[in-house]
Amino acid sequence: MAMQATEGPKRPLPDDSVEDGSIVLKRQKTESALAPSQQKPGAPSRTSDLVAPIMLLTGHSGEVFGVKFSPDGTVLASCSHDKHLFLWNVYGECENYMVLKGHKNAVLDVHWTNDGEKLLSASPDKTVRVWDTATGAQTKKMTEHDNFVNSCSPLRRGPPLLVSGSDDSRVKVWDQRVKRSIQTFEGKYQVLAVAFGDAGDQVYSAGLDNNITVWDLRKGAESMTLKGHSDSITGLALHPEGTHLLSNAADNSLRVWDLRPYAPANRCEKIFTGHQHNYERNLLRCSWSSDGSKVTSGSADRMVYIWNASTRQIEYKLPGHSGSVNDASFHPKEPIVASGSSDKQIYLGELVKW
């Protein structure tokens, strides 16, 4: 059922053939298939409201780089090398009901705002964009970066702020209510991943220097460096309670860092292993479950890995994709994991135990 993965550069050359901010409301359904549930007598009972334990979502014409559930869990957003963002119904037949067009290059990262009303996206077209999830309209286009924008992240609580990180080595903080960025931090290396602290006074960035930099918005300067990884960091994710940071790096490890004040000098609390990065150097992301009990990440070996956050043991190693798994995310309310891959496909998988 899976399509053959296609090789291609992580970042294509810009192509200006797409209209800015155009919206496509899907009238016909893109192909959506139910993977065989392989239910046998005595098989575990169903644990989610998915139509089948495994749902295959197809429609993107390029590698899928990001998948994120809406805060209420009813919609999945995905972003792709094909320059588009897709919105999918999580339940029923998982229809792709809206396509957001406007980026002039691949879309490398996507995030929901906490109210579910907006989507943020980052692209090598040097822009960060904000989209209205009800209408599909592009509501803001941020153009100050001088190079590929690899990552973006919203402030989860409070004013409509977001942070972006770019190959121009800059970390920029934006307020959706004003035109220009409100703060810029100058780094020394390309930034591949960013996250916003829940208190609104710190942002985190990571990339080619193998370190995580903590930036203090009040002081306008770097406040701390988290060292431990031995290769580029491609993904960052803040714990649901905002107390810890998860990082995914090309040294084939995930790490959990204690962000609380007065934590020990060595803030790395846990290391998870099993997943892989490879020569493709894709930006493999990572995420927490909504209760903080599990972590998951992308992996170049085509598997979806899920670890117990306390014991560090691998609880699931899920097959199905025929290309690098670039992002994996947990459903906010049910035992479901979404995965997006270089094979252009997305899986929604129901987890038997939670």
Side-chain angles (χ1 to χ4, degrees), residues 30 36 79 94 126 150 202 217 224 245 281 313 345:
T30 38
C79 63
C94 295
K126 306 179 187 177
N150 297 309
Q202 290 183 333
L217 271 62
M224 187 166 44
L245 189 68
R281 308 295 283 187
Q313 298 300 308
Q345 298 180 341

Side-chain angles (χ1 to χ4, degrees), residues 6-8 10 63 277-282 300 323-324 326 342:
T6 56
E7 288 195 18
K10 182 183 78 173
E63 298 165 276
H277 290 240
N278 66 8
Y279 64 92
E280 293 177 334
R281 308 295 283 187
N282 279 6
S324 171
N326 300 314
S342 292

Side-chain angles (χ1 to χ4, degrees), residues 4-209:
Q4 184 64 35
T6 56
E7 288 195 18
K10 182 183 78 173
R11 299 162 175 156
L13 293 172
D15 178 352
D16 296 331
S17 61
V18 181
E19 291 287 324
D20 239 336
S22 62
I23 309 157
V24 177
L25 291 172
K26 299 292 283 189
R27 296 303 175 199
Q28 86 236 11
K29 183 176 132 184
T30 38
E31 182 191 345
S32 168
L34 273 66
S37 64
Q38 299 177 338
Q39 286 280 49
K40 299 176 182 177
S45 58
R46 296 292 308 279
T47 58
S48 80
D49 289 330
L50 290 177
V51 166
I54 303 170
M55 299 295 290
L56 172 64
L57 285 55
T58 59
H60 277 296
S61 60
E63 298 165 276
V64 179
F65 292 128
V67 286
K68 297 290 186 300
F69 287 102
S70 61
D72 67 3
T74 62
V75 179
L76 182 77
S78 59
C79 63
S80 169
H81 189 280
D82 64 15
K83 309 174 191 174
H84 303 152
L85 296 107
F86 280 19
L87 296 183
W88 312 79
N89 288 319
V90 170
Y91 300 111
E93 296 298 312
C94 295
E95 295 90 356
N96 163 221
Y97 68 88
M98 193 181 293
V99 179
L100 309 181
K101 293 186 177 182
H103 279 294
K104 305 293 182 63
N105 206 325
V107 188
L108 298 179
D109 204 8
V110 61
H111 289 275
W112 294 82
T113 56
N114 206 41
D115 57 11
E117 295 179 358
K118 299 283 176 58
L119 274 180
L120 314 177
S121 59
S123 169
D125 67 8
K126 306 179 187 177
T127 70
V128 183
R129 303 187 190 217
V130 182
W131 311 83
D132 184 309
T133 58
T135 65
Q138 178 184 297
T139 60
K140 192 170 180 63
K141 176 181 173 184
M142 292 155 274
T143 59
E144 292 179 21
H145 281 295
D146 297 328
N147 210 324
F148 296 165
V149 185
N150 297 309
S151 181
C152 59
S153 180
L155 174 63
R156 296 192 297 205
R157 306 177 182 98
L161 306 182
L162 62 131
V163 60
S164 60
S166 166
D167 278 358
D168 63 13
S169 304
R170 295 190 182 101
V171 175
K172 284 185 170 286
V173 179
W174 310 82
D175 186 330
Q176 294 183 44
R177 300 166 296 187
V178 298
K179 186 173 183 180
R180 300 191 63 79
S181 61
I182 58 174
Q183 207 153 6
T184 300
F185 298 104
E186 296 279 352
K188 297 178 182 177
Y189 301 92
Q190 292 164 268
V191 179
L192 304 181
V194 292
F196 216 124
D198 276 351
D201 58 356
Q202 290 183 333
V203 294
Y204 314 105
S205 67
L208 294 190
D209 61 347

Side-chain angles (χ1 to χ4, degrees), residues 203-206 209 211-215 222-226:
V203 294
Y204 314 105
S205 67
D209 61 347
N211 300 326
I212 300 169
T213 303
V214 182
W215 304 94
E222 176 183 333
S223 65
M224 187 166 44
T225 303
L226 305 176

